[in-house]
Amino acid sequence: LMQTLKPKYIILVDDASTDDSVATIHNYLNKMCVDKLDNDDRFTGKIGPMEIKFIKRNVNGGPAAGRNTAIAELLECTDLIGNCDIDDVYYPNKLAASVDVINKFRHIALVYSDYDVVTESTGQKQREYKEPFVHQRLLSECIVSNNSVISTKVLQMVGKYDTRYRGPEDYDMWLRIAEVAAVHHIPQSLYMYRVTGNNITLTTPSQKFNE
């Protein structure tokens, strides 16, 4: 909502959470939205020019399944999609900076950036510098940050996220995209990654990532 370049659509997906996330989201949207249609599993409304849709999944499928649910809503109605996970916060210029790159260089289908890592227990903040994109480097390490902006055209080419993976699903997606399209790095910190202790990156055993 604080983006300098407002998205046309915001899709919120709850992946069968067991806390009070759904109630919190519903309460907020009921206060903020106009033209509302609300029930237990879905909510639609508008905040200014932005169309908001909330979808509650009944079975937990992991990050890939949640993202695929959102992508299914967006694939035919927009040309770019930005990911924002629950432990992340976009800085206000995140979308504007990413879209500007794609508008200038139409062959680019994936834009990523640096970010700040904030440990919630201590308040410590540290910049995570990502590398400029080199395809060969991507083959050995996930150098692309997670909250990237992706062209829907390339998603139509490579398919959705692979639900077999919980943790490395983004790495798998970047590898598939890099085979067919250009990737670009913005050397700015455009979002904040909150380390809560419950992040999937931290709780997934290294063996699973290796597999």
Side-chain angles (χ1 to χ4, degrees), residues 43-54:
F43 180 107
T44 60
K46 296 189 74 173
I47 300 178
M50 295 173 287
E51 296 184 24
I52 313 289
K53 182 176 289 187
F54 169 70

Side-chain angles (χ1 to χ4, degrees), residues 166-203:
R166 289 193 180 221
E169 72 289 325
D170 55 335
Y171 189 13
D172 171 69
M173 176 61 80
W174 312 150
L175 288 165
R176 286 187 278 142
I177 289 176
E179 290 292 332
V180 298
V183 180
H184 183 81
H185 167 247
I186 298 177
Q188 300 175 38
S189 180
L190 294 182
Y191 69 94
M192 177 175 68
Y193 171 60
R194 300 182 301 113
V195 178
T196 64
N198 296 318
N199 312 73
I200 286 180
T201 304
L202 301 177
T203 58

Side-chain angles (χ1 to χ4, degrees), residues 1-2 6-13 25-26 28-30 32-38 42-55 73-74:
L1 300 180
M2 298 294 291
K6 296 287 190 291
K8 186 174 182 181
Y9 306 98
I10 297 176
I11 311 295
L12 300 166
V13 178
I25 292 167
H26 273 265
Y28 182 83
L29 293 178
N30 273 312
M32 295 292 294
C33 287
V34 297
D35 300 329
K36 297 176 291 193
L37 179 62
D38 191 359
R42 295 179 77 90
F43 180 107
T44 60
K46 296 189 74 173
I47 300 178
M50 295 173 287
E51 296 184 24
I52 313 289
K53 182 176 289 187
F54 169 70
I55 302 169
E73 299 288 330
L74 295 169

Side-chain angles (χ1 to χ4, degrees), residues 81-99:
I81 294 176
N83 288 328
C84 187
D85 290 334
I86 194 169
D87 46 14
D88 302 314
V89 178
Y90 277 12
Y91 293 150
N93 64 330
K94 159 74 173 173
L95 291 180
S98 303
V99 172

Side-chain angles (χ1 to χ4, degrees), residues 1 67 72 76 80-81 125 127 174 198:
L1 300 180
R67 290 174 191 154
E76 300 300 327
L80 297 172
I81 294 176
K125 183 177 181 180
R127 173 83 169 265
W174 312 150
N198 296 318

Side-chain angles (χ1 to χ4, degrees), residues 79-80 98-111 151 153-154 180-184:
D79 55 352
L80 297 172
S98 303
V99 172
D100 184 56
V101 168
I102 294 175
N103 283 341
K104 289 179 179 177
F105 308 104
R106 294 293 181 147
H107 60 292
I108 292 172
L110 172 63
V111 177
S151 161
K153 287 184 179 179
V154 82
V180 298
V183 180
H184 183 81

